[in-house]
Amino acid sequence: MNLKYKLTVLLLLNLFYKPVSAQSDHDLLAYADPRIGTAHSRWFYFTPGAVPFGMAKAAPSTNGSYGNKSGWEAVGYDERHTSIEGFANFHEFQICGVVFAPSTGKLQTLAGSLEHPEAGYRSTFDHKDEVATPGYYSVLLKDYGIKAELTATKRVAFHRYTFPKSTQANILFDIGHQQGESGEVSDAQVNLTKDGRIEGYVITRPVYVQKYQPGADVKMYFSAIASKKPSKFGTFTGAQITEGNKSTSGKGAGLYLTFATHEKESITIKAGLSYTSIANARLNLNKEAANLSFDQAKTQALNTWASYLGRIGVTSDNKANLTKFYTGLYHALSGRGLASDVNGAYPKNDGGIGQIPLDKNHVPLHNHYNTDAIWGAFWNLTQLWAVAYPEYYSDWVKSQLLVYKDSGWLADGIANSRYVSGVGTNFVSLAIAAAYTSGIRDFDVKTAYQAALKNELEFQNRPFGAGKSDLDSFLKYGYVNHLDSGSSASERWQFSASHTLEYAFSNYAVGQWAKLLDKTADYQKLTTLSNAWKTIFDPATKFIRPKDEHGKFISNFNPKQAWRGFQEGNAWQYTFYVPQNPNALIAAIGKTDFNNRLDSIFTVSEKNKFGGGTTLDAFSGLEGLYNHGNQPNLHTSWLFNFSGKPSLTQKWVRKIMDEFYGTEGIHGYGYGQDEDQGQLGAWYAMASMGIFDVKGFTDASPEIGLSAPVFNTIRIKGNKKYFSGKDFEIVTLNNNTENPYAQSFSLNGKPLKAPFMKLKDIQNGGKLVVQMGKMPKDSY
């Protein structure tokens, strides 16, 4: 982190910091810093000008126009860069575009480059002139002397540009150029209407959409209003400018407005967004923001964020831990945003427009959302949703069922309902089952169970985008047979062992749901399949080891080798992937060997900061013994609770929080690790409270593991709609760095004999007291 940035952060903390025990929800905003971890971050990562789970996510871009060959590279905003090329309004997994950019002087219609910002409309900037907080962003564009500010409602982006005195103050609407992860632009259009609106659309073909649903596209629509009438206007296509023209289309299409401004004159742009039509973008604007000023929208956004962050109140004397917690919570609430309009219209999997049912007041019964794959989210996001944001979890389930009803299959990841699995598995059935077992049941249970069972057991005519493309092998052999080469996509042949483990876990989850629904035959079948991990456990090496179709373990086996039978990991990491039955895994390895091996793994991995060290790369830790920067490992440090050594869970969970997580632009979630729409942030939020379920709340009666909270007090606000409505409080006594180990746990005045309690204990409200001390203790 550079010195100017450090000083800015310190200034903000000094301005807003108060004794934590006396905080209001608004004070929490000072601890959520969107710029943490922005070096080498994904397109959707940095979106300060947005509300929780919003569609409108206005944010600066430093290299968003640079392309994205594989569909997941780190482009967008990077805190190491020194120039901004514009402000894009759409920021989701595989969904990117609609850029606004202000300038003064000679009109330039190409962005330019980081190396030569003067070659385009981009501008240099300093972090000292930048403010980023949940719901608001501002920056000084130095080359033009323009202050740019961003905020939003759910579906409307607000831009306010404060210009110097100028006879040529420009605002560009750069619509037809590729941004972020969007892939190639196939078409674009922008118009200046008779009533002064700037409206249009862009259609893109993201890499992951083309991979999982070839020929499909993603459509983004907007309808914008400027607060001032321009003195001149025109269109452009790339560098070709046509003054006075009101409409253009095709790749590179854009439109500009030019104004005469006096010193410090502000022009506001309100942009209604939609994934269905220009008409609905206009409707979203009129319904949400017709009478809102920029400052009113900003106040509303800050209030919304304060309310959402305030669902969990923590106290501590450690500012770094507070910053990590609320920044993590911010990221967990930033991704997977709205895809439906105020009238309930939503984009369907086939490219058409669907309609969510309305209530008697003509309000949609629920929302639809875009979402990255749910791979690994049962160890972070869904647990957080179940504990503090059950209404979103419910909406997410209903959203996923729309895709099922439209396409016939659950979809692990969706961009405008298009398939974008990303990893080739499909854990949506597990996540829906966990919602039910967590007590969130206000959805179409019959259809949801039907969809989940189909996801686990059916493979005929299964589209590639629905994942589990090797499910036929899993059902035939009782495991996915290994191949060292294949002619089709890697998901179909390359990840035999990891898919076996993942399908087994998912079967367990749906089996537990079947048990609650008294579907005995399904329960028995799914439970049998959940033991598939045993078929590829090698008792000689005590590793999970791929097998061929003849039942033989592969030769030349190297447990550190990634990508050979294991997706984004290796046998050292995946051997612990039996969350549905950790006791059986411990018994198979042997309790002493299990504890010694896992403890030594963390001892070695600490030298690499529990990931890929300081290498700025999302995959830098794939061949390590433990890699916190990727999903398959995120439960491992909590397994000691099952092996008789809970003190080691307390030790290593705290060390991961202290050393993997940082509070700087480069050291945020490891070094350039893949945050995946809030997963690593949500893990920190759960772990720092000392609560985490290895099974992802998939048990018929979910039990949550306990560790050593880093905060003095924690209060999770109750939810009357779903649970008792009573708050749950955690009090950590004698809590400091000298006392890292739990000595006792007491729930509602009664001592616990093991580091576990029921999820319903949190949902019913109550109090957990954790007594801390210097020495490790493994029995209570």
Side-chain angles (χ1 to χ4, degrees):
M1 185 187 295
N2 63 47
L3 179 60
K4 291 178 179 178
Y5 185 31
K6 284 183 178 178
L7 291 173
T8 301
V9 172
L10 289 172
L11 176 61
L12 285 172
L13 284 173
N14 288 332
L15 284 172
F16 290 105
Y17 184 77
K18 298 178 181 179
V20 183
S21 58
Q23 282 185 337
S24 69
D25 289 349
H26 264 275
D27 296 321
L28 305 180
L29 294 174
Y31 297 108
D33 185 352
R35 288 184 298 192
I36 290 172
T38 50
H40 195 270
S41 62
R42 296 280 294 280
W43 172 256
F44 48 67
Y45 182 81
F46 184 70
T47 57
V51 295
F53 305 122
M55 177 189 295
K57 295 179 177 177
S61 174
T62 62
N63 64 344
S65 65
Y66 272 50
N68 211 279
K69 182 180 179 180
S70 303
W72 54 264
E73 282 90 353
V75 295
Y77 176 93
D78 191 316
E79 72 100 30
R80 296 169 297 175
H81 296 161
T82 58
S83 63
I84 288 172
E85 62 182 19
F87 304 95
N89 291 286
F90 287 100
H91 283 80
E92 293 288 352
F93 178 54
Q94 303 295 291
I95 300 176
C96 329
V98 181
V99 173
F100 299 169
S103 66
T104 57
K106 180 183 176 182
L107 184 67
Q108 296 187 85
T109 56
L110 294 176
S113 66
L114 289 164
E115 296 77 14
H116 298 285
E118 73 284 353
Y121 59 70
R122 72 166 59 231
S123 172
T124 58
F125 76 106
D126 285 331
H127 287 303
K128 68 178 179 64
D129 300 320
E130 190 179 41
V131 174
T133 191
Y136 174 74
Y137 175 83
S138 72
V139 67
L140 177 66
L141 302 177
K142 291 170 58 180
D143 297 349
Y144 305 118
I146 298 170
K147 182 180 181 181
E149 299 173 274
L150 309 173
T151 192
T153 63
K154 290 179 180 179
R155 301 171 180 87
V156 180
F158 281 71
H159 298 239
R160 182 163 68 185
Y161 305 133
T162 300
F163 291 93
K165 183 176 181 180
S166 176
T167 58
Q168 185 152 351
N170 312 302
I171 299 178
L172 279 73
F173 299 82
D174 192 347
I175 310 305
H177 285 115
Q178 179 179 346
Q179 287 290 308
E181 299 173 351
S182 68
E184 180 184 2
V185 172
S186 61
D187 194 15
Q189 186 180 95
V190 59
N191 305 291
L192 181 61
T193 66
K194 290 182 179 179
D195 60 355
R197 295 175 182 264
I198 307 94
E199 297 181 328
Y201 62 82
V202 59
I203 303 174
T204 66
R205 297 201 164 188
V207 172
Y208 274 46
V209 172
Q210 295 313 299
K211 179 178 181 179
Y212 293 104
Q213 195 169 344
D217 53 32
V218 165
K219 300 180 177 72
M220 293 162 272
Y221 301 89
F222 73 98
S223 175
I225 301 174
S227 61
K228 182 178 181 177
K229 186 176 181 179
S231 56
K232 291 188 294 184
F233 57 84
T235 61
F236 58 89
T237 301
Q240 184 177 347
I241 300 170
T242 306
E243 187 174 344
N245 195 31
K246 290 187 175 182
S247 180
T248 189
S249 62
K251 292 183 180 181
L255 185 144
Y256 68 90
L257 305 178
T258 298
F259 307 85
T261 56
H262 56 75
E263 184 69 22
K264 294 186 178 180
E265 181 177 357
S266 296
I267 298 174
T268 298
I269 305 292
K270 300 179 188 180
L273 307 179
S274 172
Y275 295 116
T276 62
S277 68
I278 292 173
N280 279 333
R282 191 182 305 132
L283 179 66
N284 291 339
L285 172 58
N286 291 339
K287 289 289 186 179
E288 290 188 0
N291 299 314
L292 280 183
S293 68
F294 183 95
D295 287 330
Q296 288 170 331
K298 174 186 173 183
T299 297
Q300 182 174 291
L302 295 177
N303 288 342
T304 300
W305 273 110
S307 174
Y308 272 74
L309 295 178
R311 297 275 188 101
I312 307 177
V314 300
T315 67
S316 176
D317 298 322
N318 187 315
K319 291 183 182 180
N321 287 344
L322 289 166
T323 298
K324 292 176 185 180
F325 180 84
Y326 284 108
T327 301
L329 202 55
Y330 160 75
H331 283 295
L333 302 172
S334 293
R336 304 165 198 272
L338 276 169
S340 54
D341 300 315
V342 291
N343 61 2
Y346 72 93
K348 294 176 66 175
N349 176 265
D350 65 2
I353 300 173
Q355 177 62 51
I356 297 169
L358 308 177
D359 66 15
K360 62 182 180 180
N361 298 315
H362 305 289
V363 175
L365 293 176
H366 61 88
N367 294 307
H368 188 43
Y369 298 91
N370 286 302
T371 173
D372 194 356
I374 209 72
W375 198 54
F378 34 78
W379 288 324
N380 37 70
L381 286 173
T382 61
Q383 292 194 39
L384 185 65
W385 298 343
V387 167
Y389 307 93
E391 78 285 356
Y392 179 79
Y393 201 169
S394 172
D395 249 17
W396 179 87
V397 171
K398 296 168 187 172
S399 177
Q400 295 293 323
L401 292 181
L402 286 180
V403 181
Y404 173 74
K405 292 173 183 177
D406 291 341
S407 71
W409 297 87
L410 292 174
D412 201 15
I414 50 175
N416 284 11
S417 300
R418 304 296 204 178
Y419 296 133
V420 287
S421 175
V423 289
T425 56
N426 190 329
F427 276 110
V428 174
S429 49
L430 181 150
I432 295 176
Y436 187 90
T437 55
S438 297
I440 300 166
R441 302 177 177 182
D442 58 338
F443 52 85
D444 182 348
V445 173
K446 182 178 179 181
T447 299
Y449 180 77
Q450 177 190 68
L453 193 65
K454 183 177 183 180
N455 190 46
E456 297 305 312
L457 299 178
E458 296 188 26
F459 58 85
Q460 291 185 340
N461 301 315
R462 187 180 187 116
F464 182 45
K468 297 193 177 189
S469 57
D470 50 7
L471 184 61
D472 55 340
S473 297
F474 178 77
L475 296 174
K476 178 180 179 180
Y477 299 111
Y479 61 92
V480 178
N481 59 296
H482 178 75
L483 296 171
D484 265 328
S485 63
S487 58
S488 57
S490 59
E491 294 92 325
R492 298 186 188 273
W493 60 269
Q494 191 174 354
F495 308 123
S496 60
S498 59
H499 282 185
T500 298
L501 299 171
E502 290 168 329
Y503 301 168
F505 182 29
S506 194
N507 272 269
Y508 175 83
V510 179
Q512 290 290 291
W513 188 11
K515 181 180 180 181
L516 290 174
L517 296 176
D518 293 324
K519 296 184 180 294
T520 304
D522 291 345
Y523 165 69
Q524 292 174 344
K525 183 174 185 177
L526 292 163
T527 301
T528 298
L529 289 170
S530 75
N531 289 316
W533 67 274
K534 295 179 181 179
T535 65
I536 59 169
F537 179 82
D538 179 3
T541 63
K542 296 186 178 181
F543 280 107
I544 292 293
R545 183 173 177 179
K547 274 185 176 179
D548 65 20
E549 62 182 323
H550 303 295
K552 294 181 179 180
F553 288 116
I554 61 171
S555 58
N556 301 317
F557 174 61
N558 176 5
K560 287 192 70 175
Q561 183 179 0
W563 303 108
R564 189 185 181 209
F566 301 96
Q567 186 162 21
E568 299 185 25
N570 59 34
W572 277 102
Q573 299 166 11
Y574 268 102
T575 291
F576 298 100
Y577 201 118
V578 189
Q580 69 273 25
N581 199 347
N583 290 324
L585 176 65
I586 293 164
I589 295 175
K591 183 179 287 188
T592 300
D593 288 347
F594 180 93
N595 285 327
N596 289 340
R597 180 196 286 189
L598 192 53
D599 189 38
S600 65
I601 283 172
F602 285 113
T603 300
V604 172
S605 299
E606 185 177 11
K607 298 174 183 177
N608 288 323
K609 302 191 181 296
F610 302 105
T614 57
T615 301
L616 288 172
D617 188 279
F619 289 158
S620 58
L622 293 195
E623 294 196 348
L625 304 182
Y626 175 83
N627 180 23
H628 194 78
N630 215 339
Q631 285 86 344
N633 274 188
L634 294 181
H635 69 300
T636 309
S637 56
W638 294 82
L639 291 174
F640 293 109
N641 275 356
F642 296 88
S643 63
K645 288 287 185 179
S647 63
L648 291 178
T649 281
Q650 296 156 25
K651 172 184 177 179
W652 291 117
V653 167
R654 278 203 170 198
K655 281 185 174 290
I656 291 167
M657 289 190 290
D658 288 343
E659 298 174 30
F660 179 85
Y661 291 86
T663 58
E664 300 178 337
I666 291 177
H667 182 198
Y669 299 95
Y671 289 79
Q673 297 291 285
D674 194 349
E675 223 284 355
D676 274 342
Q677 289 194 302
Q679 290 204 34
L680 293 177
W683 189 95
Y684 184 93
M686 294 297 294
S688 63
M689 291 190 287
I691 54 176
F692 183 92
D693 182 21
V694 164
K695 299 182 182 183
F697 297 161
T698 59
D699 265 348
S701 179
E703 198 168 50
I704 194 162
L706 304 177
S707 184
V710 301
F711 300 112
N712 298 331
T713 65
I714 300 159
R715 183 174 293 276
I716 302 171
K717 290 186 178 179
N719 190 297
K720 292 182 180 179
K721 180 177 180 181
Y722 290 92
F723 311 119
S724 70
K726 298 178 181 178
D727 294 354
F728 185 78
E729 185 180 7
I730 302 173
V731 176
T732 313
L733 302 177
N734 202 27
N735 182 36
N736 55 58
T737 57
E738 301 299 318
N739 297 304
Y741 295 106
Q743 305 298 298
S744 66
F745 298 96
S746 176
L747 178 64
N748 298 328
K750 297 180 180 180
L752 298 176
K753 295 183 179 180
F756 296 97
M757 66 180 182
K758 294 291 187 181
L759 171 61
K760 65 182 180 182
D761 291 326
I762 294 178
Q763 296 168 337
N764 289 339
K767 185 175 183 179
L768 176 71
V769 177
V770 185
Q771 178 72 47
M772 302 296 292
K774 292 183 179 181
M775 302 303 295
K777 187 176 180 181
D778 292 318
S779 59
Y780 308 105

